Amino acid sequence: MSLIERWMSRFSLEQLKMTLWRTAYGNKDTFLSRLDPRVLLIWYVFFTVSPWFFYDRTVLVALFAVSLTLALTSRVSGLILFLMGVSTFMNLVYIGVLALFLGGSGDAFLALITLTLKLLIMGLASVAVFTSIDPEKLSDALLALRLPAPFSFGISYGYRMIPILVEQYQDVFASYRMRGCPPARKGILSWRIGYYFCKICVLAFYPTLLNTAKRVRTTVEALEMRGFTYTLVSGDARRLKLSRMSIRPIDGIFCGLSILYVAAAVWAGHQLAL
Amino acid sequence: MKQTHNIMVFVLSMAVFGLSDLVTELIPDVSIGPVEIGIPYFGFVGLILVMLFNPLYAALGASFGELVFGDLLMGDFGGIGEIDGFLVLFIGLWIAGLLVKNPSNRKMIAIAGMIGIGLDQFMSGALDVMKVGFGVADLEAVEGLPESIVILELIENGVEWLVAGILFGIIPAIYMVPRMYGKIEPLMGIRPREPRDVTIGGAVGRLALVAVIVLAFAAVFAYMSEVMDGTGEWAPDFVDQFGQSFIWIGIGIAAVVALIVILLSRRNKPTGGTSISRHV
Amino acid sequence: MSDIRLSPGSVNPQAAVEILGATFRYPGADRASLDGMDFRVERGGFTAVIGSNGSGKSSLCKALTGLIPHYYSGDLEGSVKVAGVETQSSSVSQLAYRIGYVCQDFENQLVRPTVWEETIFAPMNFGHADYEERATRILERLGIFHLKDRFIWQLSGGQKHITAIAAALSLEPDIIIVDEPAAELDPFHAESIYALLKQLNEREGKTIIVIEHHTEWVAKYCRDVVLLSGGKTVWHKPVAEALSNVEELQAHQIYPPQVTQIAHSLDVGRLEERYPITLEEGITYLRNVGVRAPTNNAEMPASPASEGEVLMRYDNVGYVYPTLDKKGHCVFDKLSLSIRAGDRVAIVGGNGAGKTTLLRMMTGLVKPQQGELSLAGKPLRKMSPEQTAGQVSYVYQKPENMFICDNIRDDIAYFQKARRTDIAEKLTEQLMSRLHLNELKDRDGRLLSGGQQRRASLAIGLSMRPKLLLLDEPTASLDVVSRKETIGMLEKIGDTIEAVVVATHDMQLVAEWANRVLVMHHGKLVADVSPSELFSNEAGWSSWGLMAPQVVELSLGLGWKQAALSPERFLEQARSNRTEIAEVNQVVSY
């Protein structure tokens, strides 16, 4: 079996569906999920933006340690962390080698480590936060932070519709397969098989678009009857959602500790540098 | 009335483009050394949506769908790191949609598609270079680094443009857009788009297009020349400010343009949810 | 805008809904969907709306909810009043307080991820601070409070439907319209929905309007019936009188309950004004007219063991569906069976019994995790769907997912063209004329009516010239005429076909068409029998969660040992006994 054929045999929408279900609907009981979603979001923004203003590696390592801990204690899958690590490392190597080739020295590596750390802090923190936060809570928090209502609705709608949409695509895809005819000759590296599959992937969107259009019409009619357009203007739903959220001591403690930690890291960085 | 149609377009784009993004995640990437060749997204899905419906809402929906379905629900969401991606994809698709006046004109579809996806790729490459500049304290001090990064980004985004913009972009779009034109709209209970629908927006769009291209070019060229000619004596805080301003200029321009146009198009609409449904 | 928050109920105590001379045409449509319709339902009524496709039923629903004329542009003439409010001068949101609507395609009406979010959605949007109490109250009343944190996709079809009703009730409207409550559900779930509607009607005085094809439900639950045709109301009558108009109903492509059909056929002289409409009435009526069990009824014909060649064999096949908790849900385990040429198999069982998985496995789309599956002696495990396609073809429950071309003509030709065979043209022509698709050939499959879609999807399945044809719920959500038509199609299906396997909830289809029934229950094959064996074993089918067609219950209720499977068979059997005929004739001629 050639490489392409092996891929094709692994091309399973069923698998995709399961991954989705596990990440999207799995248990969200982690430390971060206990915080108020708005506080968490704001904390997150500072935590991922701030590394870009530090060039001191001590501080960056300290921040990295926090985001790694958070990622490990949240329910991020090991595979995702592993892939993230590998791809970051490989990028580092490639750029470094290319820089050497273009007449640079080993300094390039060192310079890049700073960048890599920043990217990793951001990546890990994002994964930790967004796998902990329930999409429904995220959408409420974004609404509270004045993101337009269609976006916050969109998140929870995606959350609701995705199993249906994937199943529909799967059925259409299977329709093409059951009625189609794979190429008789495989070609070099089985490229013809690869081409056949890619073509179905693309063509299957034609019926999918039309079917989804029909579906969406019913959905938007339902939205109309259930007052969604009314609330877009009146903002009632937002007010009610806001009144349900509350900032508790744990949120304050968490933010306070974060600030102290960063301050300590900056101080330590100075001490070490001196 | 109009508002509900826009919501319908937004929801449809989000759902279908999001789904297509999930499908591309399944197709494996080929890595040739540092350059990864994969399918970043199915450009044609986005192009179909922006060319057949209100480009603004379709482009917003599509880029938002990419965030929600492809990243957030898959547990692979980069948070702030995704915002620039969202903005450039939105601008690219939106402009592609504005450039098409007649969805049955294949030449128009091809040109608009290439420009739209090209813009997206160009801007995201430029942003990546800026990020490196901003993230590395003394980039110019490291021999060979700036050049290698620019080269890598050029190759990568060039390839992505070929894949998402041509192979999985305009080629399927040329085939599907004219076939769907006039066919998908009745399923949703809306009127097919007419050339006059995009004229006002088109003017603004072209302005925005020119603005974005010029500014982006200017930014990158200015930046590149500074980096290339740099003597290595920059104080870190200067680089700091320099890089910072550029990232934020890039994002800022995009955001401001988007905001202005959204505001402009809002002004033409009646306000009030229930009153809207009365103005049929 | 403050009047939106008005609580309902302060209006005309008489009519819940009143339409006078309503006329509406969708923009671009060539004929009016509502054409001078008059329609009135009293407060606290339980009314069924019947009519063939295109009679204006769904436009009626849209007019009552205000979607016409506020959402669909076009001119609405005449007056449409809901709870005393003229819809034209109101808005969709305001009307939502007066009328709740659950559409046929309710899956797409559920817009939130969980049951709880779905229920609080409307009260929250309208700014009711007590949305939590409202939602709790409704979920408790509908008996689904324990499901509140479930995701919608985790629910069964019936639970989803109840959730859609809960959402429609969340603003406490006095009127509820439900479009085809029984269409997508198995009979048990359909029964529970009707029981719920009845409870809402009787205990809370809600006005219920249902659109319904299945007159057996109408007879059991509704009080009056409105017949629509061509956008107009034909009549509005009390239920017994309405359903006794057998001939007129049939002229409008509606079939009265099986007991009514039987009583009507027995009443040769057309002397009676009113026929029995429910099972109980039917038993009493037929006892009174003297219909008794045929004399030779005790003998059970041996199940017709097919001797044909084995097409498909399952050997200890097991399949576990992956679930969130990684344990997996066992769909079936150690399943062995074979399907032979000449078989007309119906696979039955409740939702989630593994019927669809069983079918899909035969196409090679789903691979067994244990055991072996062979197609005409060759192991299926190594075959791709493309390879099985020439021998097995699978017709989906949702025909939409089979329409991959612009028009159904291309769809039918697709398979043969992809294989570059020279019969493509001829076969397509032949199939189109046999399945009466010639006038529809240039239309997109998605835009056809339910029955036409089903015919088109059948033609697509047949275009593959398979030996084994697999059909998933071929009669789901069809009106009765389209159902009859589809069953008729199955009778005289293609020349290459050696066996047909159908997965279905539709027991009339099982009774009238199959020669073999496989009952799946809790992941096991619990019965492999003929339909008459199945339906004569009441203890069996009721414990497996099945419901028999009315005529079966009727014959069992009359004390027959062997159930009649269709009204025609019932009449034949009743007449095969000479004394019976005499008595019947006597009754008829007095």
Side-chain angles (χ1 to χ4, degrees), chain A residues 160-169 215, chain C residues 107-108 153:
Chain A
R160 148 90 185 100
M161 289 307 278
I162 199 142
I164 299 180
L165 290 173
V166 172
E167 239 158 65
Q168 175 184 288
Y169 184 77
R215 218 180 254 294
Chain C
E107 175 105 36
N108 292 320
W153 58 262

Side-chain angles (χ1 to χ4, degrees), chain A residues 14 25 136 156 160 171 175 177-180 196 206 211 214-215 217 219 221 225-226 236, chain C residues 5 72 96 107-108 110 112-113 118 125 153 321 360 386 389 396 400-402 406 411 419 446:
Chain A
E14 206 57 42
Y25 305 114
E136 199 57 32
S156 66
R160 148 90 185 100
D171 274 2
S175 269
R177 287 200 68 187
M178 285 192 292
R179 282 149 67 188
Y196 171 71
Y206 184 74
N211 290 349
K214 231 175 131 181
R215 218 180 254 294
R217 180 183 185 170
T219 302
E221 272 176 27
M225 284 187 279
R226 312 264 292 282
D236 282 345
Chain C
R5 294 184 201 166
Y72 294 98
E107 175 105 36
N108 292 320
L110 299 169
R112 307 288 289 175
E118 185 69 29
N125 283 337
W153 58 262
Y321 193 79
R360 290 195 170 212
E386 287 92 340
Y396 290 142
E400 290 186 1
N401 293 341
M402 295 183 74
D406 275 331
D411 262 322
R419 271 144 223 259
R446 268 161 285 273

